[in-house]
């Protein structure tokens, strides 16, 4: 069990976190970045990213994230693979606990923990998760080549995933609880022009059916018409759930003010949270845009605001550090 002290600690190894690190490092704040379970999580699930500037051709998601990590390290960021499991913002420096057992102290903190895929919440969905039920068409679509799959959702994530699946599966059925998609027009048009895609409007998934013998796997879904309550079965071996995301903010409940749906509340044109010295950037504060470029941009804002915060005199006394610090960054 080690203790680390950083002038700027960043939680999250996505575009927001890495870009915050690049800016903080270039300001000579020698940031420490904790990546969590999966560095660059969301974009590493993307086969290709087409809308990040600086790449004339579509760039592979994992490659883009690897470049960001290397750039952050090259300018002086220390990257650690750990998961933050608890935080204490009542004292300064802020104190965080890692899953590894390590303790982190931070004079300023940038939260860039992103958002996680939302689930339908059905016990049967949970039962067959990983056995035909998946939240990632990019990772798992390849297993359904020439098969019939079902995807539930109606936003950008669902439509992109359905497009991806339509290139692999023989038939893609999109189940959406409304009578139109919320996705960008270009994506909607692209999807609706696909001959092997059918959309079932105004329906929800009620139940995931499956078998246990000869092996545990999904065999179909029961769908319900939200207007008539009629139900029917759709046979499939693959259900993709693409119904949005929840911000990864459980860790900060009770410590920071939260906005709608658990997003961290920040000031207007600012990444400042309700606690001075704690900034938040990327999908964790953004229910609207949710793009790599906007997350990265917010990361740069957070780093600049952290720099400004550290340059100001402290309003509360710094706590005496009673634990041995083995790593001092900055
Ligand atoms: C399927 C899919 C396709 C997409 N395609 C595109 C696209 O083509 N173009 C585009 O611009 N955007 C795309 N997006 C959106 C884009 O991925 C996100 O907007 C972007 O990744 C958000 O960046 P972020 O840094 O805020 O969060 P994330 O990229 O989600 O990163 C969050 C980071 O926080 C870490 N973390 C979380 N909790 C902890 C913890 N407790 N301790 C330590 N670390 C933690 C995670 O491990 C992760 O490294 C797509 C999203 C999805 C789901």
């Amino acid at each position: 069990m080690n203790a680390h002290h950083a002038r700027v600690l960043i939680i999250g190894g996505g575009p927001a976190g890495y870009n915050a690190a690049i800016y903080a490092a270039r300001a000579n704040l020698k940031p420490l970045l904790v990546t969590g379970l999966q560095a660059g999580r969301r974009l590493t699930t993307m086969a290709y990213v087409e809308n990040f500037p600086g790449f004339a051709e579509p760039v592979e998601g994992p490659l883009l994230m690897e470049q960001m990590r290397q750039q952050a390290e090259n300018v002086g960021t220390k990257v650690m693979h750990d998961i933050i499991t608890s935080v204490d913002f009542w004292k300064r420096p802020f104190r965080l606990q890692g899953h590894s057992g390590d303790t982190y102290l931070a004079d300023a903190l940038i939260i860039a923990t992103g958002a996680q895929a939302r689930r339908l919440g059905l016990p049967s969905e949970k039962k067959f998760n990983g056995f035909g039920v998946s939240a990632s068409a990019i990772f798992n679509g390849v297993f359904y080549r020439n098969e019939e799959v079902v995807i539930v959702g109606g936003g950008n994530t669902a439509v992109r995933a359905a497009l991806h699946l339509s290139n692999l599966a023989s038939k893609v059925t999109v189940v959406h609880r409304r009578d139109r998609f919320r996705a960008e027009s270009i994506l909607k048009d692209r999807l609706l022009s696909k001959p092997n895609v059918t959309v079932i409007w105004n329906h929800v998934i009620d139940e995931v059916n499956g078998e246990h013998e000869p092996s545990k796997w999904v065999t179909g879904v029961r769908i319900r018409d939200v207007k008539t309550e009629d139900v029917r079965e759709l046979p499939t071996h693959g259900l993709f759930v693409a119904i949005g995301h929840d911000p990864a903010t459980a860790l900060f409940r009770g410590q920071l003010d939260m906005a709608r749906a658990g997003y961290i509340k920040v000031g207007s044109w600012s990444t400042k949270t309700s606690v001075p010295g704690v900034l938040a950037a990327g999908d964790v504060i953004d229910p609207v845009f949710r793009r790599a470029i906007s997350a990265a941009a917010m990361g740069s804002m957070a780093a600049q605001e952290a720099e400004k915060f550290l340059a100001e005199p402290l309003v509360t006394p710094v706590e005496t550090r009673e634990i041995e610090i083995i790593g001092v960054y900055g």
Side-chain angles (χ1 to χ4, degrees):
M1 287 201 298
N2 297 317
H4 314 267
H5 177 225
R7 292 204 76 200
V8 176
L9 182 84
I10 299 162
I11 319 178
Y18 283 133
N19 207 34
I22 291 163
Y23 274 70
R26 294 194 71 254
N28 208 23
L29 297 172
K30 299 191 177 64
L32 174 60
L33 183 148
V34 181
T35 62
L37 208 52
Q38 208 179 351
R41 184 175 58 193
R42 298 271 295 279
L43 282 188
T44 53
T45 66
M46 280 302 290
Y48 288 98
V49 177
E50 295 178 38
N51 55 1
F52 203 84
F55 299 88
E57 298 296 328
V59 57
E60 285 177 31
L63 177 68
L64 178 61
M65 294 316 304
E66 178 56 19
Q67 289 289 319
M68 285 192 203
R69 185 190 61 75
Q70 276 182 28
Q71 188 179 357
E73 285 186 328
N74 288 349
V75 289
T77 304
K78 166 105 177 156
V79 175
M80 293 195 67
H81 300 286
D82 199 355
I83 301 167
I84 301 300
T85 52
S86 69
V87 299
D88 181 357
F89 297 156
W90 301 107
K91 295 177 188 153
R92 293 219 180 115
F94 306 123
R95 184 185 291 246
L96 298 88
Q97 203 58 49
H99 183 254
S100 62
D102 284 9
T103 300
Y104 300 88
L105 300 176
D107 296 334
L109 179 76
I110 298 175
I111 299 169
T113 47
Q116 289 158 347
R118 199 174 286 158
R119 298 290 181 170
L120 296 169
L122 300 169
S124 53
E125 172 202 21
K126 200 170 174 187
K127 186 155 85 184
F128 289 102
N129 190 36
F131 298 91
V133 176
S134 164
S136 175
I138 300 301
F139 269 161
N140 298 320
V142 70
F143 301 119
Y144 296 90
R145 219 177 270 280
N146 300 322
E147 291 210 35
E148 298 191 2
V149 297
V150 174
I151 176 161
V152 55
N156 275 336
T157 306
V159 173
R160 276 173 194 276
L163 274 167
H164 177 74
L165 290 169
S166 70
N167 295 326
L168 299 163
S170 58
K171 183 178 173 196
V172 178
T173 304
V174 185
V175 177
H176 184 36
R177 64 186 168 144
R178 299 188 203 285
D179 60 2
R180 72 192 69 169
F181 287 132
R182 281 174 290 114
E184 291 164 26
S185 298
I186 186 169
L187 294 174
K188 282 191 272 197
D189 295 346
R190 226 187 268 175
L191 185 70
L192 294 173
S193 69
K194 291 271 183 174
N196 62 339
V197 173
T198 306
V199 184
I200 302 182
W201 306 106
N202 297 314
H203 277 71
V204 292
I205 306 247
D206 243 6
E207 186 76 41
V208 180
N209 301 321
E211 61 191 10
H212 291 269
E213 297 295 337
S215 55
K216 184 177 173 182
W217 208 262
V218 167
T219 53
V221 292
R222 189 176 71 212
I223 60 169
R224 176 170 52 87
D225 189 318
V226 292
K227 291 189 169 156
T228 64
E229 297 293 319
D230 288 347
V231 294
R232 64 182 156 125
E233 310 281 334
L234 292 179
T236 185
H237 292 304
L239 170 66
F240 292 87
V241 180
I243 54 171
H245 292 84
D246 289 315
T249 54
L251 198 56
F252 312 108
R253 252 179 241 142
Q255 304 256 346
L256 295 176
D257 287 354
M258 299 285 175
R260 186 173 62 84
Y263 287 86
I264 294 174
K265 202 171 191 172
V266 291
S268 167
W269 283 99
S270 170
T271 62
K272 288 181 190 170
T273 69
S274 52
V275 173
V278 177
L279 298 312
D283 282 11
V284 78
I285 62 168
D286 174 14
V288 181
F289 299 106
R290 291 193 296 227
R291 286 283 168 272
I293 189 67
S294 41
M298 286 183 250
S300 87
M301 288 165 62
Q304 292 172 70
E305 292 193 305
E307 184 183 7
K308 220 167 163 189
F309 169 79
L310 291 171
E312 288 164 1
L314 273 182
V315 285
T316 55
V318 176
E319 177 208 6
T320 313
R321 293 168 200 154
E322 75 283 11
I323 57 175
E324 190 197 357
I325 310 292
I326 64 122
V328 178
Y329 309 97

